[in-house]
Structures are given as C-alpha cells and as structure tokens.
Amino acid sequence: RLVGSEMCIRDRTKASTLNFADLLLSSGMYQSNPKTPFVPGFEVAGTVRECNVDSKFAVGDRVVAATTVFRSGRHGSFGEYCVASENLAYKLPEEISYEAGAAILMSYLTSDFALHRRAQLKKDEIVLVNAAAGGVGISAVQLAKIEGAKVIAAASSEDKINLCIQHGADEGLIYPSGELNRNQQKELSSKIKELTGGAGANVVYDPVGDTYSEPCIRATAWDGRYLVIGFAAGQIPKIPTNLALLKGMKIIGVFWGAWVGMFPEENK
C-alpha cells in the first residue's frame, strides 16, 4: 500500500519495456543502483489501482509512468503492480495502446530534457544523433525536427538510416560497427563535417560513447554542445579536453532520472 506524504499511485501493470538501462541496472553497472532485492523496470503502462485521496488520478485511469525503483528499491515496472510518483505519471489516451504507451516515456523525456533543457536547442541548428534508430535516438530525431533543426542520423546500417529518414531525419550517416580504429575515427569526423558544410554539428546527441565520441567532438561546431547520453558501445571514452577549449564547446551530462529526483517540481 501507499505510505508517506508523497503523492503516489499504485499501478496494475499492463505493459512494460525492456531498456538498455534495465540490463545495466540488473547487472549492477548503472550510474546508481538500488539495494537488492529489487524489481527492475523503469517505465510502465497500466491502470491505477490505488491513489491518494486528493490525487489528480482516479482508480481505473489508464496511465503511463516512470517507476520509483531507486526510491523504494522494490517497485519496478516488471512486477504485477508498481508504484509511481504522480509527477512522473501521465494519463494515457484511449487511442494509444498500453504497449505503445509503455515505450514512449523514458525515451522522449530523456530526449526532451537533453535537447531543450540541457542543450537549449535552437531552430535551424544542426543536430547529429548517434544510434539514431534506437529508442532514444528516434525520439531525439523527432523532437529535434519539431524544434526546426536539421538532423543528421548516424547508425550502423542502411536499413536503420532509412528508418530514421522516415521519422524525419534530413541526412543519414552509416558508421562501422564495433571499436573504431584511428582511420575510421578520422573518416567519421570527415563525413560529419562534409554533411554540415564544414561547420560541424551544433549539437551531438550521443548514447554510444567509446571510440565514437572523440570523432564526433572533433566534428562539433564552435560553441557546440556534446550531450553525454550513455555508453552503449561499452566503454566510457577518454575525451581530450583540449578540444572543448579549442572549440569553445560544452560537454554536457544528461541524467534525467537524477535531475527529476532532485527537482521534481520542475518536471512539468
């Protein structure tokens, strides 16, 4: 049952998504980890089973929510029931399925936070999105286009690039899979500069990390913003910080989950 003064809902799970972050969390490799035992799962779609008396929700409401796995240590979305804070829950329209609703929240809130609050993206700027065919990648492509940016989608195959183009990307860039050697890194930087008319990308959205990070930073425009989303390629990159000095650029960390925990009232 719900306890404490925080506005929460108890949700009956209808659908939940498996994110890369869930795999990291379950293996103890995430940025922050709850005490064991815990139920993993960051996002859920379902129906409200219980809520506070003065809640904005009612029992039976269809909702999507980010779950409080960090705070409670046991209420992740992979359980039959889970608990969510009201400021992390939203009503789900009838025309959107539970399956689609469960897949929306974390990707789009992460990308919205990254592009708008952290990077302060402006109309007509150039955005490079790495791993653009993934969940956060597609959401970044779509949100950047809504803002009026030019979007370059980077991915590892032509099929993935075609998917990104269908979702609004202006250009596609195929990079090799696996660890990049120095020649491949130089080639990647050159391709980015070519697609940006030599100016470089104003914003780089990077969930990949590893050997992909440095060539993207080298192809960042003056006063550019490099967004650290994650490290799906495996290793945390060692960035030559002189590049930030030479380009007058910013290297910006993106951790929506930590931010919303510290500033819940700002998550509107």
Side-chain angles (χ1 to χ4, degrees), residues 187-268:
E187 184 179 354
L188 177 56
S189 283
S190 295
K191 285 182 178 178
I192 297 168
K193 290 176 182 177
E194 181 182 342
L195 289 172
T196 59
N202 302 108
V203 175
V204 176
Y205 183 101
D206 187 16
V208 180
D210 209 330
T211 52
Y212 295 80
S213 295
E214 185 178 330
C216 292
I217 289 176
R218 289 187 181 277
T220 300
W222 173 262
D223 199 28
R225 288 87 79 201
Y226 171 79
L227 296 169
V228 183
I229 309 297
F231 314 104
Q235 297 298 315
I236 298 173
K238 294 178 174 61
I239 304 297
T241 53
N242 67 305
L243 294 175
L245 183 153
L246 293 171
K247 292 176 173 290
M249 62 172 292
K250 303 175 182 70
I251 298 173
I252 304 174
V254 177
F255 193 177
W256 174 78
W259 173 81
V260 78
M262 290 185 281
F263 306 105
E265 294 304 314
E266 294 187 38
N267 184 55
K268 302 297 185 183

Side-chain angles (χ1 to χ4, degrees), residues 5-162:
S5 59
E6 183 182 28
M7 293 295 291
C8 292
I9 60 172
R10 187 162 71 103
D11 189 46
R12 175 68 181 268
T13 300
K14 295 289 188 179
S16 183
T17 53
L18 177 64
N19 293 289
F20 182 61
D22 292 303
L23 303 180
L24 295 175
L25 186 75
S26 299
S27 58
M29 297 173 63
Y30 199 59
Q31 289 96 325
S32 55
N33 293 290
K35 294 180 180 179
T36 55
F38 67 90
V39 177
F42 284 100
E43 55 189 341
V44 66
T47 56
V48 176
R49 185 66 179 265
E50 183 181 2
C51 56
N52 298 81
V53 174
D54 51 351
S55 173
K56 63 182 179 182
F57 298 103
V59 172
D61 279 351
R62 302 172 85 250
V63 295
V64 293
T67 52
T68 56
V69 61
F70 292 121
R71 195 165 302 163
S72 67
R74 57 190 174 87
H75 289 305
S77 63
F78 293 170
E80 182 180 1
Y81 296 93
C82 57
V83 173
S85 298
E86 284 205 8
N87 71 309
L88 298 178
Y90 307 86
K91 288 188 178 181
L92 181 65
E94 290 290 339
E95 61 269 23
I96 299 178
S97 70
Y98 288 114
E99 291 79 8
I104 289 173
L105 202 64
M106 297 298 289
S107 293
Y108 284 86
L109 289 178
T110 295
S111 293
D112 176 69
F113 176 65
L115 294 172
H116 296 120
R117 185 173 289 270
R118 300 297 282 156
Q120 299 291 306
L121 179 64
K122 302 176 183 66
K123 183 181 179 182
D124 296 326
E125 288 192 311
I126 300 174
V127 179
L128 171 69
V129 181
N130 282 346
V136 291
I138 286 291
S139 66
V141 168
Q142 293 176 330
L143 292 177
K145 283 305 298 178
I146 289 172
E147 193 63 32
K150 175 182 177 180
V151 179
I152 300 171
S156 60
S157 72
E158 186 174 352
D159 286 344
K160 291 180 179 180
I161 293 299
N162 289 337

